Amino acid sequence: MIDLDNISVQAGQFRLDAVSLTVPTGRYGVLMGKTGSGKTTLLESVLGLRSIISGRIRLGDEDVTALNPAVRGIGYVPQDGALFSRMNVRDHLSFALDIRRVDRKTAEARVAELADMLHITPLLDRTPLGLSGGERQRVALGRALSFRPQILCLDEPLSALDTDTRLQMCELLEDVRRRTGVTTLHVTHNLDEAERLADCLFRITDGKIETSKPSAH
Amino acid sequence: MCLSVIGGTYVLLIVAMLLADATYMADQTFTAAARAEHPLRAVLTQNPITVALADAKIRHSIWLSLISCTLAAVISLVVAVPLGYLLARHEFRGKRLLDAVLDIPIVLPPLVVGLSLLILFQFPPFSWSARSIVYQVPAVVIAQFSVACAFAVRTMKSTFDHINPRCEHVAVTLGCSRAQAFGMVVLPEASRGMMTALTLAWARALGEFGPLLIFAGTTRMKTEVLSTSVFLEMNVGNIEAAVAVSLIMVAAAIAVLVITRVWGVRDAGL
């Protein structure tokens, strides 16, 4: 479960006051809003990349408000993928496992499993240079899922993709969710994407969050 | 069209300067060859560069230049990486002042940098070690470092500015500490910029003269580096040797540029 309880957060001149949001365990939450409405600020608060002024953040049964991002155990896919240009795809998928000193055999098996699920096995030895937008996002998704997080945060992961690739990625995200059961918070401004993927839909307007049920789900 | 003429004139000036040096050198070589019994052998043994290289003082100056420039460049990089990162990633009180202070060595007249260093070493705690530094070899490295480092810091700041901060954010969410994220993600991303900063600092250190003149002196076989050699040879009217040393410096600078470019291209996987 992702539970934001009366969060106040500030980013420069921008401020959100006393907003709340809950995504139940195993569900897919989509947060919608215009550019500059504070979607990313809120996501960064969940990740622990931005400290909050007041309120509480709980992930599952744990209050993570004071925890640093490294121990929150959240998979994060930023808008542009933010791949590491000096590493190949295999290194991306095993990065979090290496940090956790997972033994080599287990790590290799996990990399193979992820590559198979995300259809990126032929790309394993390539560097991000020359990967297409869709391929980059698959790698970023694989990197985020590699350490089997309970929570996944996606920040407009499909916004830079063409329509066909976007549809394929939507299918892939549905497949990932079916297979892993990961609780997801997905930020987007695309209504089609939101209605297709969301179990719970949140709209952020003028600093307030409204919860609604997606019409086509 | 107008822009390309203006730009082209400058490029032409650079090429013409180097060509003039080379032509002067060739002219001296052929004059020496014409007078010699064995013209072909004379081209190899009596051209000004070979003559300069045969001089123990010039060889000492080349070695000291190589060692001092490398030391100054490495120290510059060690200082420039954290400082560049701080300026690129963090907002703090006095940041603009720090930024301006870092430009001082770039805009200050070189002689003033040397003089300021000399005066600084009159005061404790610096004065305690002045005897073993001022007019000694360490002064050469300090004088080169004090200017070269400013260029390295500028290069590293711009390098870190161009690295997506989200990469660090992702690394931290994947379980890295801030230090691990810096070491495992940011530094590898910055490797080309670090190479550029190192090269730029090295080249700046090689060309440094003003601060050296005042702070390290121009003692032959002691604090003489290549730029000092050019000055000393010119002073005694030995233009051939001065031009020969200049060409050695040009060759060193070109070698460093080529190495960096080849490294850079291979690094980019092209």
Side-chain angles (χ1 to χ4, degrees):
Chain A
M1 180 182 67
I2 303 170
D3 183 32
L4 306 187
D5 184 14
N6 274 315
I7 299 291
S8 295
V9 62
Q10 187 151 9
Q13 299 293 311
F14 179 81
R15 188 181 164 113
L16 276 176
D17 267 315
V19 291
S20 299
L21 168 163
T22 303
V23 183
T25 304
R27 309 315 290 267
Y28 202 109
V30 175
L31 177 61
M32 286 195 70
K34 289 182 189 158
T35 307
S37 59
K39 311 186 292 286
T40 298
T41 305
L42 214 54
L43 197 77
E44 285 175 349
S45 307
V46 177
L47 287 160
L49 297 171
R50 188 176 292 284
S51 41
I52 57 174
I53 298 166
S54 63
R56 276 194 327 156
I57 301 174
R58 287 193 308 146
L59 301 177
D61 296 330
E62 195 180 4
D63 186 336
V64 298
T65 315
L67 295 185
N68 75 47
V71 293
R72 291 196 184 193
I74 305 175
Y76 171 41
V77 180
Q79 186 175 352
D80 49 11
L83 299 184
F84 310 141
S85 67
R86 319 297 291 188
M87 294 183 196
N88 64 20
V89 172
R90 190 186 303 278
D91 295 337
H92 278 86
L93 300 187
S94 64
F95 186 87
L97 306 175
D98 294 341
I99 294 285
R100 287 167 175 73
R101 299 183 191 281
V102 171
D103 72 85
R104 207 170 168 181
K105 250 185 170 173
T106 316
E108 279 173 10
R110 179 64 180 150
V111 168
E113 182 191 354
L114 280 166
D116 183 51
M117 178 167 78
L118 301 166
H119 315 299
I120 50 174
T121 309
L123 309 177
L124 280 176
D125 293 316
R126 296 211 2 217
T127 56
L129 197 80
L131 292 186
S132 71
E135 289 168 341
R136 294 174 72 89
Q137 288 308 78
R138 281 164 198 257
V139 176
L141 185 59
R143 179 180 60 185
L145 291 169
S146 60
F147 60 102
R148 299 182 197 279
Q150 298 298 305
I151 312 283
L152 184 63
C153 282
L154 312 169
D155 188 4
E156 305 202 26
L158 316 182
S159 64
L161 306 179
D162 60 66
T163 316
D164 286 349
T165 317
R166 180 179 293 210
L167 288 174
Q168 282 171 12
M169 279 300 286
C170 278
E171 274 172 33
L172 187 72
L173 285 171
E174 283 171 333
D175 185 43
V176 164
R177 162 204 187 186
R178 228 179 357 256
R179 290 205 207 185
T180 61
V182 64
T183 308
T184 308
L185 183 59
H186 177 136
V187 164
T188 183
H189 56 250
N190 183 307
L191 187 61
D192 295 340
E193 192 179 304
E195 296 206 319
R196 172 165 183 176
L197 292 165
D199 292 324
C200 10
L201 188 56
F202 308 96
R203 284 171 205 274
I204 182 164
T205 15
D206 303 326
K208 297 265 181 293
I209 293 185
E210 294 166 28
T211 309
S212 61
K213 288 207 166 165
S215 54
H217 207 78
Chain B
M1 182 63 193
C2 180
L3 291 178
S4 53
V5 169
I6 296 170
T9 312
Y10 180 56
V11 175
L12 215 63
L13 178 71
I14 298 171
V15 176
M17 284 194 311
L18 295 178
L19 275 179
D21 283 347
T23 313
Y24 181 79
M25 190 64 33
D27 186 45
Q28 293 297 318
T29 308
F30 291 133
T31 313
R35 283 196 219 114
E37 265 183 54
H38 302 289
L40 270 178
R41 196 190 297 167
V43 167
L44 292 175
T45 57
Q46 289 180 31
N47 74 67
I49 292 188
T50 319
V51 173
L53 286 174
D55 187 343
K57 297 191 287 289
I58 304 289
R59 284 207 304 274
H60 177 272
S61 147
I62 291 175
W63 275 116
L64 184 60
S65 286
L66 289 177
I67 294 167
S68 64
C69 291
T70 307
L71 263 176
V74 169
I75 301 170
S76 295
L77 189 66
V78 169
V79 173
V81 167
L83 208 48
Y85 186 73
L86 186 75
L87 287 170
R89 285 286 192 272
H90 296 280
E91 289 304 323
F92 52 90
R93 194 186 286 260
K95 182 178 170 178
R96 294 182 72 170
L97 182 68
L98 176 65
D99 208 41
V101 167
L102 285 166
D103 275 339
I104 290 177
I106 297 174
V107 297
L108 218 57
L111 285 175
V112 178
V113 173
L115 188 65
S116 307
L117 281 171
L118 196 64
I119 303 295
L120 174 70
F121 273 79
Q122 306 284 316
F123 294 100
F126 299 96
S127 60
W128 300 335
S129 57
R131 195 173 281 274
S132 52
I133 290 181
V134 181
Y135 298 125
Q136 308 290 334
V137 173
V140 175
V141 180
I142 293 173
Q144 290 173 336
F145 162 77
S146 49
V147 177
C149 188
F151 288 88
V153 171
R154 285 276 159 261
T155 312
M156 286 320 299
K157 179 184 181 298
S158 131
T159 301
F160 290 125
D161 276 337
H162 285 96
I163 295 175
N164 185 354
R166 286 214 181 97
C167 288
E168 282 161 83
H169 294 164
V170 170
V172 167
T173 61
L174 289 171
C176 284
S177 63
R178 294 267 173 205
Q180 278 176 318
F182 183 73
M184 296 172 75
V185 174
V186 182
L187 277 189
E189 297 277 325
S191 58
R192 286 185 73 181
M194 285 164 72
M195 195 63 203
T196 310
L198 191 75
T199 318
L200 196 61
W202 197 91
R204 279 303 308 183
L206 184 72
E208 216 49 71
F209 175 65
L212 289 171
L213 186 68
I214 307 262
F215 186 53
T218 55
T219 317
R220 297 218 96 154
M221 302 295 283
K222 193 175 172 190
T223 57
E224 179 187 356
V225 287
L226 284 170
S227 53
T228 331
S229 297
V230 175
F231 172 72
L232 291 174
E233 296 296 349
M234 285 292 289
N235 259 1
V236 295
N238 191 356
I239 297 179
E240 290 86 21
V243 177
V245 174
S246 303
L247 280 178
I248 293 171
M249 292 172 81
V250 170
I254 291 177
V256 167
L257 268 179
V258 168
I259 290 169
T260 320
R261 290 293 157 97
V262 169
W263 184 315
V265 169
R266 197 185 55 198
D267 247 21
L270 299 172

